[in-house]
Amino acid sequence: MKSSLLILTFALLSSNLNSQIIWGNEVEIGDAASNGIVRPRLALTDDNRAMVIMTRIQNGQIYFTQEVAGNFTTPIPLLPSTMQSYIANWTGPDTDVRGDTIVVVFKAMPFEQGHVYSIRSADGGLTFSDTIRVDNHMIGRAWMPSMAMDNDGNPLVTYMVHDANSTNPRYVYSRSTDAGLTYTNEQEIASNINGEACDCCPAEMVSSGNKQVLLFRNNETNVRDIYGVYSNDNGATFGSNDNIDETNWLISSCPASGPHATFIDTSLYTIYMSAASGTNTIYLSKSKANNLLTFENRQTVSASPNSPQNFPRIASENNVMVAAWSEYVSNNYEIVTAISLNENLAQFSTTNQQANSNSTGTQTNPDIQIKNGVIHLVYQDLGSQKVIYKKGLIGLIGLEEESSITDIIYPNPISANQEISLPKELSNSNYHLFDMSGKEVHLFSNPEGKLIIPLIDNGMYLLYCEKNSKTYQLIIQ
């Protein structure tokens, strides 16, 4: 009975939850004059350190920096001086990391003849290889690469190809089975979808376990919806596809904006921009990803549906999702973020908050990740001409009320098998540990002075104290 009442209490608290991201200080990790600020991209190491690439249009160079002991290293150029990458505000290089292996993919100049290449590091970014050719496209253009790494650290790269004279735009993919040292011949994808790929809208390759999906904007007689092409055999085949947008945006010109997505178990959540309503609007769609990919529903994520929005990104951990995009606010484009707990799509529109402190000029092209309950954000700040990095935690406002989290939970974050020392007045009380779905995962029965964290998955949890009837956020990492 007691357990049922506690779960009910959790449900009632969650239904009234006012969640927000508590951001740390802004950190400048790049500037336009030295190493460029265009379209920064973010990846996280196993120990939750940020690695960032950014580009400089003036010299076509890609720069790399990583977080070490809380600070970022001086950005280093990745390309030889004789090579330039293709860079635009809406497309450019991509990156991912597994273990000590970091891979960056890019399209080389000149525009019509340049190929798709990768660069890799096998020592956590201390050194990088020479360029490695990814595509084997001989006639016509190859460009706009995107990549994701599987659990074994093998890159899966997608890119757009054309036939001669810029005809027949379509997406192909190439795999590596040796952590990016070599790549297979390209294979066509999405050939059975009516129409053709929107010829200047970047695609995304997203991976989770043995599931991968290519996300791209299609062009079927100027209807430019987002499609997903799905693999459930670790990228060996892509046998299922669906329109995961269904806004039926009719536009005769290319919008130069692509999608992004994240997997949570058997669901795919895709974020993208469509102006089917008349205004550039960010949507989030949910699709079932079992043997087949099947669109289920969609909704807007902004609290201001009439404000133009673009360049969305999304990430997840357990049942928590975080999103970021650029939105027109008070005469400038700002970075807006939102969160969803327990896969509650409706919560996105109620948790919007501006992430950038500097509101001068345009802030755009965010990228966002979450790991061990810690949120990482980068974006392009045209006001200061810098790349900005921020780190944040989700604050569960209304759960701990007036009590500080550190009144009871210290240290926080904490690791499994570590112990929390309790105030004497709260020692003789049961404590209930819930995951973010409201499931009770552990009961601490009247601990004397300390709680020892059990062996459970990393992530965000809620700790309920019976004695003072308060619930506290706990991050396990």
Side-chain angles (χ1 to χ4, degrees), residues 113-134:
Q113 294 80 33
H115 293 284
V116 173
Y117 292 90
S118 72
I119 301 171
R120 70 187 295 272
S121 171
D123 54 15
L126 297 177
T127 61
F128 282 87
S129 71
D130 198 353
T131 54
I132 301 167
R133 184 166 165 181
V134 175

PDB file of all heavy atoms in Angstrom, residues 113-134:
ATOM      1  N   GLN A 113      34.147  18.468 -58.480  1.00  0.00           N
ATOM      2  CA  GLN A 113      35.067  17.327 -58.584  1.00  0.00           C
ATOM      3  C   GLN A 113      35.511  16.772 -57.233  1.00  0.00           C
ATOM      4  O   GLN A 113      36.023  15.658 -57.157  1.00  0.00           O
ATOM      5  CB  GLN A 113      36.312  17.719 -59.391  1.00  0.00           C
ATOM      6  CG  GLN A 113      36.050  18.030 -60.850  1.00  0.00           C
ATOM      7  CD  GLN A 113      35.493  19.425 -61.080  1.00  0.00           C
ATOM      8  OE1 GLN A 113      35.843  20.358 -60.348  1.00  0.00           O
ATOM      9  NE2 GLN A 113      34.643  19.568 -62.098  1.00  0.00           N
ATOM     10  N   GLY A 114      35.330  17.527 -56.156  1.00  0.00           N
ATOM     11  CA  GLY A 114      35.823  17.091 -54.860  1.00  0.00           C
ATOM     12  C   GLY A 114      35.051  15.888 -54.329  1.00  0.00           C
ATOM     13  O   GLY A 114      33.851  15.742 -54.552  1.00  0.00           O
ATOM     14  N   HIS A 115      35.734  15.016 -53.599  1.00  0.00           N
ATOM     15  CA  HIS A 115      35.133  13.786 -53.100  1.00  0.00           C
ATOM     16  C   HIS A 115      34.796  13.905 -51.613  1.00  0.00           C
ATOM     17  O   HIS A 115      35.091  14.910 -50.964  1.00  0.00           O
ATOM     18  CB  HIS A 115      36.083  12.613 -53.340  1.00  0.00           C
ATOM     19  CG  HIS A 115      36.266  12.288 -54.783  1.00  0.00           C
ATOM     20  ND1 HIS A 115      35.323  11.627 -55.521  1.00  0.00           N
ATOM     21  CD2 HIS A 115      37.287  12.576 -55.647  1.00  0.00           C
ATOM     22  CE1 HIS A 115      35.739  11.472 -56.768  1.00  0.00           C
ATOM     23  NE2 HIS A 115      36.933  12.054 -56.872  1.00  0.00           N
ATOM     24  N   VAL A 116      34.175  12.860 -51.090  1.00  0.00           N
ATOM     25  CA  VAL A 116      33.879  12.776 -49.665  1.00  0.00           C
ATOM     26  C   VAL A 116      35.029  12.037 -48.982  1.00  0.00           C
ATOM     27  O   VAL A 116      35.417  10.940 -49.413  1.00  0.00           O
ATOM     28  CB  VAL A 116      32.545  12.046 -49.413  1.00  0.00           C
ATOM     29  CG1 VAL A 116      32.331  11.812 -47.916  1.00  0.00           C
ATOM     30  CG2 VAL A 116      31.388  12.843 -49.996  1.00  0.00           C
ATOM     31  N   TYR A 117      35.575  12.645 -47.935  1.00  0.00           N
ATOM     32  CA  TYR A 117      36.710  12.087 -47.215  1.00  0.00           C
ATOM     33  C   TYR A 117      36.392  12.006 -45.716  1.00  0.00           C
ATOM     34  O   TYR A 117      35.464  12.657 -45.216  1.00  0.00           O
ATOM     35  CB  TYR A 117      37.955  12.955 -47.388  1.00  0.00           C
ATOM     36  CG  TYR A 117      38.529  12.962 -48.775  1.00  0.00           C
ATOM     37  CD1 TYR A 117      38.103  13.909 -49.717  1.00  0.00           C
ATOM     38  CD2 TYR A 117      39.512  12.046 -49.161  1.00  0.00           C
ATOM     39  CE1 TYR A 117      38.642  13.938 -50.994  1.00  0.00           C
ATOM     40  CE2 TYR A 117      40.052  12.069 -50.433  1.00  0.00           C
ATOM     41  CZ  TYR A 117      39.608  13.011 -51.347  1.00  0.00           C
ATOM     42  OH  TYR A 117      40.135  13.029 -52.615  1.00  0.00           O
ATOM     43  N   SER A 118      37.212  11.247 -45.025  1.00  0.00           N
ATOM     44  CA  SER A 118      37.167  11.229 -43.569  1.00  0.00           C
ATOM     45  C   SER A 118      38.569  11.441 -43.027  1.00  0.00           C
ATOM     46  O   SER A 118      39.577  11.260 -43.727  1.00  0.00           O
ATOM     47  CB  SER A 118      36.592   9.912 -43.042  1.00  0.00           C
ATOM     48  OG  SER A 118      37.505   8.854 -43.232  1.00  0.00           O
ATOM     49  N   ILE A 119      38.616  11.826 -41.761  1.00  0.00           N
ATOM     50  CA  ILE A 119      39.856  11.909 -40.984  1.00  0.00           C
ATOM     51  C   ILE A 119      39.562  11.202 -39.673  1.00  0.00           C
ATOM     52  O   ILE A 119      38.467  11.320 -39.122  1.00  0.00           O
ATOM     53  CB  ILE A 119      40.256  13.366 -40.716  1.00  0.00           C
ATOM     54  CG1 ILE A 119      40.460  14.111 -42.031  1.00  0.00           C
ATOM     55  CG2 ILE A 119      41.505  13.454 -39.872  1.00  0.00           C
ATOM     56  CD1 ILE A 119      40.652  15.598 -41.832  1.00  0.00           C
ATOM     57  N   ARG A 120      40.513  10.447 -39.158  1.00  0.00           N
ATOM     58  CA  ARG A 120      40.252   9.703 -37.927  1.00  0.00           C
ATOM     59  C   ARG A 120      41.388   9.874 -36.924  1.00  0.00           C
ATOM     60  O   ARG A 120      42.553  10.117 -37.294  1.00  0.00           O
ATOM     61  CB  ARG A 120      40.022   8.214 -38.220  1.00  0.00           C
ATOM     62  CG  ARG A 120      41.264   7.467 -38.664  1.00  0.00           C
ATOM     63  CD  ARG A 120      40.949   6.041 -39.102  1.00  0.00           C
ATOM     64  NE  ARG A 120      40.450   5.186 -38.035  1.00  0.00           N
ATOM     65  CZ  ARG A 120      41.233   4.485 -37.223  1.00  0.00           C
ATOM     66  NH1 ARG A 120      42.559   4.567 -37.328  1.00  0.00           N
ATOM     67  NH2 ARG A 120      40.712   3.706 -36.307  1.00  0.00           N
ATOM     68  N   SER A 121      41.007   9.751 -35.665  1.00  0.00           N
ATOM     69  CA  SER A 121      41.983   9.688 -34.588  1.00  0.00           C
ATOM     70  C   SER A 121      41.736   8.398 -33.822  1.00  0.00           C
ATOM     71  O   SER A 121      40.594   8.046 -33.527  1.00  0.00           O
ATOM     72  CB  SER A 121      41.839  10.886 -33.643  1.00  0.00           C
ATOM     73  OG  SER A 121      42.649  10.722 -32.492  1.00  0.00           O
ATOM     74  N   ALA A 122      42.798   7.683 -33.514  1.00  0.00           N
ATOM     75  CA  ALA A 122      42.686   6.447 -32.742  1.00  0.00           C
ATOM     76  C   ALA A 122      43.195   6.620 -31.310  1.00  0.00           C
ATOM     77  O   ALA A 122      43.242   5.656 -30.551  1.00  0.00           O
ATOM     78  CB  ALA A 122      43.470   5.332 -33.429  1.00  0.00           C
ATOM     79  N   ASP A 123      43.530   7.859 -30.943  1.00  0.00           N
ATOM     80  CA  ASP A 123      44.080   8.096 -29.603  1.00  0.00           C
ATOM     81  C   ASP A 123      43.351   9.232 -28.882  1.00  0.00           C
ATOM     82  O   ASP A 123      43.959  10.007 -28.147  1.00  0.00           O
ATOM     83  CB  ASP A 123      45.585   8.379 -29.681  1.00  0.00           C
ATOM     84  CG  ASP A 123      45.924   9.523 -30.633  1.00  0.00           C
ATOM     85  OD1 ASP A 123      45.004  10.280 -31.020  1.00  0.00           O
ATOM     86  OD2 ASP A 123      47.115   9.660 -30.995  1.00  0.00           O
ATOM     87  N   GLY A 124      42.052   9.325 -29.125  1.00  0.00           N
ATOM     88  CA  GLY A 124      41.253  10.310 -28.402  1.00  0.00           C
ATOM     89  C   GLY A 124      41.506  11.740 -28.796  1.00  0.00           C
ATOM     90  O   GLY A 124      41.267  12.651 -27.998  1.00  0.00           O
ATOM     91  N   GLY A 125      41.952  11.975 -30.030  1.00  0.00           N
ATOM     92  CA  GLY A 125      42.141  13.337 -30.519  1.00  0.00           C
ATOM     93  C   GLY A 125      43.515  13.916 -30.322  1.00  0.00           C
ATOM     94  O   GLY A 125      43.748  15.097 -30.603  1.00  0.00           O
ATOM     95  N   LEU A 126      44.477  13.105 -29.841  1.00  0.00           N
ATOM     96  CA  LEU A 126      45.845  13.607 -29.702  1.00  0.00           C
ATOM     97  C   LEU A 126      46.494  13.782 -31.065  1.00  0.00           C
ATOM     98  O   LEU A 126      47.227  14.750 -31.303  1.00  0.00           O
ATOM     99  CB  LEU A 126      46.669  12.659 -28.829  1.00  0.00           C
ATOM    100  CG  LEU A 126      46.205  12.509 -27.379  1.00  0.00           C
ATOM    101  CD1 LEU A 126      47.067  11.482 -26.653  1.00  0.00           C
ATOM    102  CD2 LEU A 126      46.238  13.848 -26.658  1.00  0.00           C
ATOM    103  N   THR A 127      46.246  12.827 -31.969  1.00  0.00           N
ATOM    104  CA  THR A 127      46.750  12.915 -33.344  1.00  0.00           C
ATOM    105  C   THR A 127      45.640  12.492 -34.297  1.00  0.00           C
ATOM    106  O   THR A 127      44.726  11.751 -33.914  1.00  0.00           O
ATOM    107  CB  THR A 127      47.970  11.999 -33.553  1.00  0.00           C
ATOM    108  OG1 THR A 127      47.589  10.632 -33.308  1.00  0.00           O
ATOM    109  CG2 THR A 127      49.101  12.388 -32.618  1.00  0.00           C
ATOM    110  N   PHE A 128      45.752  12.956 -35.549  1.00  0.00           N
ATOM    111  CA  PHE A 128      44.771  12.610 -36.567  1.00  0.00           C
ATOM    112  C   PHE A 128      45.481  12.089 -37.821  1.00  0.00           C
ATOM    113  O   PHE A 128      46.618  12.478 -38.117  1.00  0.00           O
ATOM    114  CB  PHE A 128      43.922  13.828 -36.944  1.00  0.00           C
ATOM    115  CG  PHE A 128      42.847  14.132 -35.931  1.00  0.00           C
ATOM    116  CD1 PHE A 128      43.129  14.930 -34.827  1.00  0.00           C
ATOM    117  CD2 PHE A 128      41.569  13.623 -36.082  1.00  0.00           C
ATOM    118  CE1 PHE A 128      42.148  15.209 -33.892  1.00  0.00           C
ATOM    119  CE2 PHE A 128      40.577  13.898 -35.150  1.00  0.00           C
ATOM    120  CZ  PHE A 128      40.870  14.688 -34.047  1.00  0.00           C
ATOM    121  N   SER A 129      44.782  11.221 -38.539  1.00  0.00           N
ATOM    122  CA  SER A 129      45.326  10.620 -39.754  1.00  0.00           C
ATOM    123  C   SER A 129      45.314  11.612 -40.912  1.00  0.00           C
ATOM    124  O   SER A 129      44.758  12.717 -40.818  1.00  0.00           O
ATOM    125  CB  SER A 129      44.476   9.404 -40.140  1.00  0.00           C
ATOM    126  OG  SER A 129      43.197   9.832 -40.610  1.00  0.00           O
ATOM    127  N   ASP A 130      45.897  11.189 -42.007  1.00  0.00           N
ATOM    128  CA  ASP A 130      45.709  11.873 -43.275  1.00  0.00           C
ATOM    129  C   ASP A 130      44.270  11.622 -43.734  1.00  0.00           C
ATOM    130  O   ASP A 130      43.531  10.843 -43.133  1.00  0.00           O
ATOM    131  CB  ASP A 130      46.709  11.341 -44.299  1.00  0.00           C
ATOM    132  CG  ASP A 130      46.883  12.289 -45.483  1.00  0.00           C
ATOM    133  OD1 ASP A 130      46.131  13.284 -45.565  1.00  0.00           O
ATOM    134  OD2 ASP A 130      47.752  12.009 -46.337  1.00  0.00           O
ATOM    135  N   THR A 131      43.877  12.283 -44.810  1.00  0.00           N
ATOM    136  CA  THR A 131      42.520  12.101 -45.316  1.00  0.00           C
ATOM    137  C   THR A 131      42.339  10.691 -45.892  1.00  0.00           C
ATOM    138  O   THR A 131      43.260  10.124 -46.490  1.00  0.00           O
ATOM    139  CB  THR A 131      42.193  13.140 -46.389  1.00  0.00           C
ATOM    140  OG1 THR A 131      43.202  13.082 -47.412  1.00  0.00           O
ATOM    141  CG2 THR A 131      42.166  14.534 -45.797  1.00  0.00           C
ATOM    142  N   ILE A 132      41.141  10.134 -45.696  1.00  0.00           N
ATOM    143  CA  ILE A 132      40.777   8.799 -46.187  1.00  0.00           C
ATOM    144  C   ILE A 132      39.546   8.955 -47.066  1.00  0.00           C
ATOM    145  O   ILE A 132      38.523   9.478 -46.620  1.00  0.00           O
ATOM    146  CB  ILE A 132      40.463   7.852 -45.016  1.00  0.00           C
ATOM    147  CG1 ILE A 132      41.671   7.731 -44.078  1.00  0.00           C
ATOM    148  CG2 ILE A 132      40.022   6.478 -45.520  1.00  0.00           C
ATOM    149  CD1 ILE A 132      41.344   7.066 -42.751  1.00  0.00           C
ATOM    150  N   ARG A 133      39.639   8.517 -48.294  1.00  0.00           N
ATOM    151  CA  ARG A 133      38.498   8.691 -49.191  1.00  0.00           C
ATOM    152  C   ARG A 133      37.359   7.742 -48.808  1.00  0.00           C
ATOM    153  O   ARG A 133      37.575   6.552 -48.570  1.00  0.00           O
ATOM    154  CB  ARG A 133      38.919   8.471 -50.642  1.00  0.00           C
ATOM    155  CG  ARG A 133      37.776   8.746 -51.619  1.00  0.00           C
ATOM    156  CD  ARG A 133      38.240   8.872 -53.037  1.00  0.00           C
ATOM    157  NE  ARG A 133      37.136   8.790 -53.983  1.00  0.00           N
ATOM    158  CZ  ARG A 133      37.255   8.843 -55.297  1.00  0.00           C
ATOM    159  NH1 ARG A 133      38.472   8.980 -55.835  1.00  0.00           N
ATOM    160  NH2 ARG A 133      36.198   8.765 -56.076  1.00  0.00           N
ATOM    161  N   VAL A 134      36.142   8.286 -48.769  1.00  0.00           N
ATOM    162  CA  VAL A 134      34.957   7.512 -48.410  1.00  0.00           C
ATOM    163  C   VAL A 134      34.176   7.101 -49.640  1.00  0.00           C
ATOM    164  O   VAL A 134      33.761   5.948 -49.783  1.00  0.00           O
ATOM    165  CB  VAL A 134      34.055   8.308 -47.453  1.00  0.00           C
ATOM    166  CG1 VAL A 134      32.755   7.550 -47.168  1.00  0.00           C
ATOM    167  CG2 VAL A 134      34.786   8.623 -46.145  1.00  0.00           C
TER     168      VAL A 134
END
